[in-house]
Amino acid sequence: MKSLERNTIAFFAYMKKKPSHLDSHLFATDIYPAAWRAATQLAEELDIPLRNHDTGDFEHVAFMWEKPLNIPYGQYQNLDYIFDYASDILAYDYVEIMTHPGYLDSFILENSTYSKPRAYELASLVEPKMRQFLNKHNVALISYHDVPKKKK
């Protein structure tokens, strides 16, 4: 826990504000109970959401990607599953869709096992079809700073 405290102090010192939320890499808070407990405790102390988990009084944010939608990995090269599974995704009030968009450069190509999908995801996010989908379904793009507390 000392490491979390040091990192939290460093974040505050550098950013001059608390984080919008907590999450973990490679689903550590979903896989390891100790990681979940530590992250939950810190999220509640800081009064911020924890990705994919209910903390404090915040509205639940559903964490979407292929696995929770039972889509076989690799079935989609881009984010078209959003359109094909819209009814499942739009059933939630708040959703985070996991993406790793980016431009390919030599560093990514040489160091990441997730390289080409970044370019496909970026293309999906900026294509007019995505904006039309968001508008049609009255979807607001927000950050975790905008996730409200539950109404009592």
Side-chain angles (χ1 to χ4, degrees):
M1 196 58 136
K2 295 281 187 219
S3 164
L4 279 176
E5 291 169 8
R6 280 194 305 273
N7 289 338
T8 303
I9 292 168
F11 185 92
F12 283 124
Y14 184 74
M15 299 300 293
K16 310 289 189 238
K17 63 181 179 180
K18 67 182 178 181
S20 63
H21 70 291
L22 293 179
D23 63 27
S24 65
H25 191 243
L26 298 176
F27 311 102
T29 56
D30 298 308
I31 297 170
Y32 305 107
W36 171 79
R37 283 191 301 274
T40 298
Q41 180 181 348
L42 183 58
E44 290 183 354
E45 285 175 14
L46 297 175
D47 194 32
I48 59 175
L50 171 61
R51 182 185 74 190
N52 210 31
H53 297 281
D54 292 334
T55 55
D57 294 324
F58 288 97
E59 290 288 344
H60 179 76
V61 178
F63 185 56
M64 290 287 146
W65 54 297
E66 288 97 334
K67 187 174 180 180
L69 294 168
N70 295 315
I71 302 169
Y73 183 75
Q75 180 174 328
Y76 289 87
Q77 251 193 342
N78 54 28
L79 300 177
D80 279 353
Y81 73 86
I82 293 171
F83 310 120
D84 294 343
Y85 290 81
S87 61
D88 296 312
I89 295 168
L90 295 170
Y92 296 95
D93 290 332
Y94 299 93
V95 176
E96 175 186 348
I97 295 182
M98 183 176 70
T99 64
H100 297 84
Y103 294 102
L104 298 183
D105 60 15
S106 60
F107 180 83
I108 292 292
L109 289 170
E110 294 169 10
N111 294 284
S112 177
T113 58
Y114 199 77
S115 54
K116 286 184 181 177
R118 293 177 192 273
Y120 297 135
E121 289 179 3
L122 178 62
S124 292
L125 290 169
V126 300
E127 70 181 17
K129 180 179 177 182
M130 184 64 73
R131 175 57 65 193
Q132 292 164 358
F133 173 84
L134 297 173
N135 290 338
K136 175 183 175 186
H137 295 286
N138 199 28
V139 173
L141 300 178
I142 64 171
S143 78
Y144 270 93
H145 285 295
D146 302 312
V147 175
K149 296 243 180 166
K150 295 175 185 170
K151 294 183 174 109
K152 292 184 181 189

